[in-house]
Amino acid sequence: MSKLKDFSIATARMMPVIILADVSGSMSAYGKLAALNRAIAEMIATFADEQDARAEIHVAVITFGGDGAKLHQPLQPAYQIQWTNMGAKGSTPMGAAFELATRLLEDKTVIPSRSYHPNLVLISDGQPTDERGRPSDNWKEPLQQLLNSERSSKALRLAMGIGPDADEETLKAFLTGQHPEIPVFRADETRIQKFFRWVTVTLTSRSRSVNPNSIAPIDPDNLDDLLEF
């Protein structure tokens, strides 16, 4: 048995990256959604070029807008993804996105137990609502369930609010229990791609590290013009 182990070939372990993207109607204004589509496509293309024996980056995108949340991009290796642009409509049912993210994270047929700890990125330009567009606290319980899940508690979580209407309370709650040096970022539509380039570098560095499960200190110095709340 030990000799067989000596000759076995190490296979890369999955490192999941799950984007929770606000696609409510307001995201279509001022080119916000167009900028977000370009930023995610660029990020996936960069991940696809990564070749490391330890970690293989897989990407999923959960969108929330209109009457609920959906898996816009199923979890796949980055090099296999043919990106399709997201569309915007309706309200901001963020709670439904947290529920879907929890189910995805805990599904061991999709994310095997040997995978590295996941990365979650939340992007929003507004305040959570119910499916009818009414302001609601219905996001709080699903978020708590997400944060209490074993895998989410070990994840690197990042959040960015776009514009002055982004809800500070929700974005900060998403980072509960996270390393205190990781802030909530706030930007206008012109800086969405800059944020995602920073996310790309941060996650690529993590995948190349000696232990991709460890979360290195975050240095936000290159994002000084992305104001913190």
Side-chain angles (χ1 to χ4, degrees):
M1 185 68 180
S2 60
K3 290 183 178 179
L4 287 176
K5 187 176 181 180
D6 290 342
F7 288 101
S8 65
I9 299 174
T11 56
R13 295 164 59 182
M14 178 194 297
M15 193 174 85
V17 178
I18 301 173
I19 311 294
L20 288 74
D22 183 345
V23 294
S24 59
S26 59
M27 284 292 291
S28 61
Y30 307 109
K32 289 181 282 189
L33 189 61
L36 182 57
N37 276 314
R38 287 194 298 272
I40 294 177
E42 184 180 282
M43 180 188 72
I44 291 171
T46 302
F47 288 160
D49 290 336
E50 279 296 303
Q51 294 185 359
D52 190 283
R54 281 163 297 193
E56 182 178 75
I57 298 176
H58 292 222
V59 179
V61 178
I62 292 171
T63 57
F64 53 99
D67 57 2
K70 69 174 185 178
L71 193 57
H72 176 81
Q73 169 59 58
L75 192 67
Q76 272 189 293
Y79 68 86
Q80 291 183 0
I81 295 175
Q82 300 292 319
W83 177 248
T84 302
N85 282 343
M86 304 173 291
K89 64 175 183 178
S91 54
T92 312
M94 195 181 294
F98 293 147
E99 290 176 355
L100 185 50
T102 302
R103 291 200 299 272
L104 178 60
L105 277 172
E106 296 304 320
D107 189 341
K108 294 183 180 177
T109 65
V110 178
I111 302 178
S113 297
R114 71 186 295 269
S115 303
Y116 289 117
H117 297 333
N119 305 273
L120 303 176
V121 183
L122 174 63
I123 308 293
S124 179
D125 77 333
Q127 301 180 1
T129 67
D130 61 18
E131 286 74 7
R132 295 183 178 181
R134 299 172 299 196
S136 172
D137 288 335
N138 66 357
W139 58 273
K140 292 184 176 180
E141 183 175 346
L143 176 60
Q144 201 57 52
Q145 291 173 348
L146 174 65
L147 298 180
N148 289 341
S149 75
E150 181 180 355
R151 289 177 165 180
S152 178
S153 65
K154 298 174 181 175
L156 170 62
R157 280 173 272 123
L158 304 170
M160 184 179 75
I162 306 170
D165 294 331
D167 187 75
E168 177 182 355
E169 179 187 1
T170 311
L171 295 170
K172 284 186 174 179
F174 180 73
L175 300 184
T176 299
Q178 186 81 344
H179 194 288
E181 292 181 0
I182 301 178
V184 173
F185 295 103
R186 178 163 55 89
D188 60 24
E189 59 275 12
T190 65
R191 290 181 169 83
I192 293 173
Q193 284 184 277
K194 182 172 183 178
F195 172 76
F196 266 90
R197 285 174 187 142
W198 176 80
V199 170
T200 302
V201 170
T202 299
L203 301 189
T204 300
S205 299
R206 185 179 178 189
S207 73
R208 294 173 182 167
S209 66
V210 175
N211 179 11
N213 270 341
S214 66
I215 297 176
I218 301 294
D219 180 5
D221 286 347
N222 294 327
L223 291 168
D224 285 344
D225 54 346
L226 297 179
L227 301 177
E228 300 174 24
F229 280 110

